[in-house]
């Protein structure tokens, strides 16, 4: 009986202690206190109390609006920090600075409009950063300064218009870069410099209509390059020729192609490069010229150079005819002159004989 009471006391004590002292009300601390789940807990502010042993902290679906400096300093064992679906607009410099074991940080579906240099301090071991559905408009060399170990960066559905050169310069481990559904209009050389481990580059759903010829040069590991749903009317062969990999799949559908002979030539040359795979070539449709609008490029590509061939043929024939005509005329004149000479000589002769 005394033993039973003792156990009961212990159990009551531990269940009382963990929620009140170490676990924020509204949160659920479990798994040897390695998981602290505070999703949908109506939290508006940090810090919150979580056991120091917490490795996964789920703060998603709350109304937190700021990440103050050093706010996670009593949770240094965190490996996964989930903050998606909050109202975060401010991350103070050093907000995540003491999380040296953090591997995944999810900040998607927030209101973040700028990344300061201090944002990434102390996140050298972060592998995955989710920043989709925020309000970012530009990236520069300070945005990801301390993220040397990052492997996956998701920037989907922001409003990014400009990426300055060297924005990703410190991320030589990056394998996936998701930039789809932003507002990029051009790609400049140097934008992707140093991304030599990058395997997936997703640029779909932007408004890109021009690229520097060398923009993809640094991507020596890229296996998937998604350029679908942009504003390309044409592309240059060299842009893709410059990708030096063993095998790269390129997606290009959903662009307003100007189907002319030049475009047909570019694709014919691209098809001839063994290491490049144009997976959705079958789906490319023409925007221009109006007569080919909505036609599949594949169905008309054999005809695109016909007009040009005909023109060339006509010019060639004309030239040949002119030359032939000139030669003929020349022959005729010569003959005439010879005949004339003969005639004159005859005349002269007969004239002589007349006398
Ligand atoms: C989100 O944060 C802003 C300030 O950054 C505040 O004005 C707004 O009321 C917050 N929204 C909610 C739903 O809490
Ligand atoms: C990137 O974010 C989008 C939107 O939140 C999501 O649908 C997608 O799965 C994410 N991709 C990766 C590879 O994390
Ligand atoms: C994501 O971005 C695309 C393109 O800008 C837009 O059409 C779509 O509505 C966005 N999605 C969300 C959930 O905001
Ligand atoms: C081509 O388009 C069809 C219909 O939109 C789609 O189902 C298919 O997956 C596309 N093919 C490729 C390779 O993207």
């Amino acid at each position: 009986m005394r033993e039973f009471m003792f156990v009961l006391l212990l159990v009551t004590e531990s269940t009382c202690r963990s929620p009140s002292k170490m676990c924020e009300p509204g949160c659920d601390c479990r798994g040897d206190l390695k998981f602290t789940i505070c999703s949908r807990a109506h939290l508006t502010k940090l810090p919150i109390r979580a056991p120091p042993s917490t490795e996964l902290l789920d703060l998603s679906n709350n109304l937190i609006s700021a990440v103050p400096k050093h706010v996670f300093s009593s949770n240094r064992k965190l490996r996964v920090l989930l903050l998606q679906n909050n109202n975060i607009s401010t991350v103070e410099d050093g907000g995540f600075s003491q999380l040296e074991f953090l591997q995944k940080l999810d900040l998607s579906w927030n209101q973040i409009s700028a990344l300061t240099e201090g944002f990434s301090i102390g996140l050298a071991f972060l592998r995955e950063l989710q920043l989709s559905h925020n309000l970012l408009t530009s990236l520069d060399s300070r945005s990801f300064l301390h993220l040397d170990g990052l492997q996956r960066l998701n920037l989907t559905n922001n409003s990014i218009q400009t990426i300055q050169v060297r924005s990703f310069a410190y991320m030589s481990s990056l394998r996936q870069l998701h930039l789809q559904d932003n507002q990029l209009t051009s790609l400049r050389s140097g934008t992707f410099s140093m991304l030599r481990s990058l395997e997936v580059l997703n640029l779909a759903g932007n408004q890109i209509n021009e690229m520097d010829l060398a923009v993809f040069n640094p991507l020596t590991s890229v296996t998937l390059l998604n350029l679908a749903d942009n504003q390309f009317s044409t592309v240059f062969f060299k842009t893709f020729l410059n990708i030096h990999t063993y095998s790269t799949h390129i997606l290009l559908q959903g662009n307003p192609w100007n189907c002319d002979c030049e475009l047909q030539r570019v694709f014919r040359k691209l098809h001839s490069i063994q290491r490049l795979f144009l997976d959705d070539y079958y789906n490319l449709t023409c925007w221009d010229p109006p007569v080919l609008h909505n036609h599949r490029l594949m169905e008309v590509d054999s005809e695109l150079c016909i007009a040009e061939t005909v023109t060339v043929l006509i010019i060639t024939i004309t030239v040949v005819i002119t030359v032939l005509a000139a030669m003929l005329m020349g022959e005729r004149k010569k003959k005439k002159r010879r005949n004339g000479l003969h005639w004159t000589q005859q005349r002269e002769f007969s004239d002589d004989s007349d006398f």
Side-chain angles (χ1 to χ4, degrees), residues 63 65 87 89:
L63 285 168
S65 59
N87 188 27
S89 54

Side-chain angles (χ1 to χ4, degrees), residues 251 253 279-280 282-283 296:
L251 299 177
Q253 63 185 316
D279 290 353
D280 59 1
Y282 179 76
N283 276 358
R296 281 182 202 279

Side-chain angles (χ1 to χ4, degrees), residues 34 36 38 46 48 50 54-60 64 67 71-73 75 77-84 86 88 91 95-99 101-108 110 119 123 126 128-130:
K34 283 193 174 161
T36 300
C38 310
L46 294 176
I48 58 120
T54 301
E55 291 182 7
L56 182 149
L57 177 55
D58 182 355
L59 293 164
S60 64
I64 297 164
V67 179
V71 75
F72 296 105
S73 57
N75 291 105
K77 293 199 169 147
L78 281 184
R79 289 175 188 272
V80 178
L81 176 54
L82 305 177
L83 280 161
Q84 69 269 32
N86 274 279
I88 299 170
V91 177
F96 302 109
S97 67
Q98 284 156 332
L99 301 177
F101 298 108
L102 197 65
Q103 296 192 356
K104 173 176 172 167
L105 174 58
D106 195 335
L107 284 164
S108 51
N110 276 288
F119 158 79
L123 292 177
L126 196 68
E128 177 177 340
L129 176 58
Q130 298 285 344

Side-chain angles (χ1 to χ4, degrees), residues 289-330:
V291 66
L292 294 180
H293 189 69
N294 278 343
H295 281 69
R296 281 182 202 279
L297 174 59
M298 201 183 79
E299 284 160 7
V300 298
D301 64 0
S302 58
E303 296 152 36
L304 292 177
C305 290
I306 286 180
E308 200 165 290
T309 314
V310 168
T311 316
V312 170
L313 222 70
I314 289 175
I315 292 172
T316 316
I317 290 171
T318 317
V319 168
V320 167
I321 288 177
T322 317
V323 169
L324 275 178
M327 276 165 60
L328 247 141
M329 295 272 275

